[in-house]
Amino acid sequence: MQVFDREVPVTDFSFLAKPAELKIHWPDPWDSRFSAESLNRKAQDGTSTFLYIEPREVRHETLIRLRELAPWIGETFEVGQTLSPQHSALIVNQAASFLASRNPVTIDGKSVQPSNATATLLELTSQGFQVVQPGKEVSVNNTFIGAILSFSSADLPDQVAVTWDMFDEEISRVTTISNDIAGPFFGAVTPADPQFHWQNHLLQYQRASVTRIPVEQQKRQNPAAALIAGIISAVSLGFLLLTRGKVAKRASCVTMIAVASATFVFAGYLRELPWKKPEPPEQQVAEDILRSMVENLTTVTLETSPAARKAELAHIVTAASLGDIATEIERGLAIRTPGGSFATVTDISALKVERVDPTLKPGGFSTLAKWTVKAQGGHWGHAHMRAVTFRVLAEVVPESGQWKLDGLTVIEARDPNA
């Protein structure tokens, strides 16, 4: 059984085990209730506010029912009124501007202004809050504004506080939820106590940063060749010690020196000769290099602005390709939540290099590779988790003693179970 009162979902159950009484609130269906609280929907608050503490930003987010927001933005809505797409768009823009100037936020005791403010039109359905698709008419009875205010924070702050200043006859209590990697933490604000805090109690937090990948001697040792050459060297040494003729001694000495040199060369101990062009690394070595590069790229996507992401990329990308690769990461690798924020990658697995080819730049390699990530993010009190498998064509070259990305094309990004 499902119950809707003028499009507002009343229930949070799928069947009735016994008779139940529904009390209809005619002035506003939002307040219609079953007498048994266990039968009512969980989302009872017309206004809720949230703090998200992320690795590079703080977000203050608000869910507010359109009928509760109306008097604050000079609007008047009647029960059952339908909004056209054009009217909805005007209200969304007005709400984003208005909410960006209310409910002040302080980070470590300093008042801050949002670096970005967005708003989205949402509907509460039996499946929860859903983003209203463009061009759709909506009823004010079950329509919400979801606002997101972003504040840049290079390091994890010690404390964040929000002072809620939007109280009236309709809004007398606002549910609060603070979210960090150990949260969520629940509370509420009232006119008598309008401020809610987040305090940093994370003792083992470490800020993720891009790490350079040094170019080391990539040639593998050849133990079989080294063993054979070592045996020949030992025999030559023994012959040198036992023989008495000058000619024989010279021949043994030359043989021993030559074989010893060959031992080092074949065993992989000598560096590449200066006149010999460096070869691309073996597949397993290339895979290790690419895995480190992918870890760096996931760290780059933690940055909250294109400029900040590009600045971090400069440490691991050649200057000539920086602009193109930054654009490709925005297009193909960054994972966004439905609320618009970036999801955080929590795991990288199943990385496989399908092939390794030499590049025009000596020592570099191009590769077709794939890997799977698990990512999570949240907004307006809802957690989102997903897995994505990427298939990528990448070009990696040695430059100034470290490996750098010189080309990147995301061929495919899909659900691994699709």
Side-chain angles (χ1 to χ4, degrees):
M1 179 176 180
Q2 293 289 321
V3 176
F4 295 86
D5 182 4
R6 287 157 283 176
E7 300 189 26
V8 175
V10 179
T11 61
D12 194 28
F13 62 93
S14 57
F15 64 91
L16 277 174
K18 58 183 179 180
E21 180 185 6
L22 172 64
K23 297 180 179 180
I24 298 176
H25 188 262
W26 292 111
D28 189 345
W30 183 257
D31 295 319
S32 293
R33 298 281 190 277
F34 277 91
S35 54
E37 283 298 321
S38 61
L39 301 181
N40 293 317
R41 65 176 183 272
K42 294 179 181 178
Q44 294 293 337
D45 298 302
T47 300
S48 305
T49 191
F50 312 87
L51 269 178
Y52 282 91
I53 314 300
E54 302 286 359
R56 300 293 193 274
E57 73 173 353
V58 172
R59 295 197 312 277
H60 178 217
E61 305 186 357
T62 299
L63 272 178
I64 183 167
R65 190 169 171 240
L66 214 51
R67 292 201 67 191
E68 295 188 7
L69 177 64
W72 295 93
I73 59 175
E75 292 276 357
T76 302
F77 299 127
E78 300 294 333
V79 173
Q81 181 177 339
T82 299
L83 298 182
S84 67
Q86 295 77 14
H87 193 181
S88 296
L90 290 174
I91 291 174
V92 168
N93 292 334
Q94 192 175 359
S97 177
F98 174 78
L99 292 171
S101 65
R102 302 303 298 253
N103 312 309
V105 176
T106 61
I107 298 178
D108 291 335
K110 297 180 180 179
S111 180
V112 291
Q113 297 299 316
S115 57
N116 189 41
T118 61
T120 304
L121 200 65
L122 306 169
E123 282 184 304
L124 179 62
T125 70
S126 57
Q127 285 77 43
F129 287 99
Q130 305 291 328
V131 175
V132 175
Q133 298 303 314
K136 181 182 178 182
E137 292 186 346
V138 294
S139 168
V140 298
N141 289 354
N142 64 326
T143 302
F144 280 69
I145 289 290
I148 298 178
L149 308 180
S150 301
F151 305 86
S152 297
S153 180
D155 297 308
L156 208 65
D158 291 325
Q159 55 183 310
V160 180
V162 176
T163 303
W164 188 264
D165 62 9
M166 293 173 59
F167 292 106
D168 59 12
E169 292 182 358
E170 289 290 332
I171 306 174
S172 59
R173 181 183 183 276
V174 177
T175 299
T176 66
I177 303 177
S178 300
N179 295 273
D180 59 23
I181 59 176
F185 306 98
F186 298 89
V189 291
T190 62
D193 185 13
Q195 193 175 80
F196 77 102
H197 302 264
W198 173 84
Q199 184 70 39
N200 187 357
H201 295 293
L202 303 173
L203 301 179
Q204 297 181 341
Y205 174 79
Q206 290 185 343
R207 187 182 189 276
S209 59
V210 170
T211 58
R212 291 176 169 82
I213 309 171
V215 177
E216 298 175 349
Q217 180 64 25
Q218 304 296 342
K219 198 164 189 177
R220 286 185 160 186
Q221 296 180 3
N222 189 331
L227 178 62
I228 294 172
I231 293 173
I232 296 175
S233 296
V235 172
S236 300
L237 177 61
F239 186 75
L240 174 66
L241 295 175
L242 294 175
T243 188
R244 295 183 180 180
K246 291 183 178 181
V247 175
K249 281 190 174 185
R250 287 176 181 174
S252 297
C253 186
V254 169
T255 301
M256 184 176 63
I257 292 172
V259 174
S261 299
T263 301
F264 280 97
V265 170
F266 286 115
Y269 295 117
L270 290 183
R271 294 186 178 275
E272 296 287 350
L273 298 176
W275 59 83
K276 184 179 179 182
K277 290 184 179 180
E279 295 180 356
E282 298 176 3
Q283 181 158 325
Q284 181 58 53
V285 175
E287 191 170 290
D288 294 340
I289 295 169
L290 192 64
R291 180 176 289 104
S292 298
M293 192 65 71
V294 170
E295 291 172 355
N296 277 328
L297 292 177
T298 60
T299 300
V300 167
T301 59
L302 294 175
E303 302 296 336
T304 58
S305 70
R309 289 189 284 276
K310 194 171 182 179
E312 287 298 302
L313 275 176
H315 300 301
I316 55 171
V317 174
T318 60
S321 301
L322 181 58
D324 291 340
I325 291 178
T327 300
E328 185 65 2
I329 289 175
E330 298 285 334
R331 183 196 70 82
L333 280 186
I335 303 171
R336 290 186 179 272
T337 68
S341 61
F342 284 102
T344 301
V345 172
T346 58
D347 181 66
I348 302 170
S349 62
L351 189 145
K352 182 179 180 181
V353 170
E354 297 182 16
R355 72 166 191 262
V356 177
D357 299 316
T359 62
L360 295 177
K361 294 183 179 181
F365 65 96
S366 64
T367 179
L368 186 62
K370 67 178 180 179
W371 64 88
T372 298
V373 302
K374 292 181 180 178
Q376 65 181 25
H379 60 94
W380 304 313
H382 302 280
H384 293 271
M385 292 178 286
R386 61 181 297 199
V388 181
T389 294
F390 294 103
R391 196 159 181 259
V392 169
L393 184 62
E395 190 169 309
V396 184
V397 298
E399 182 179 279
S400 302
Q402 70 179 82
W403 291 106
K404 288 193 173 185
L405 200 60
D406 197 40
L408 182 72
T409 303
V410 180
I411 300 172
E412 185 180 44
R414 63 176 180 85
D415 185 326
N417 297 317

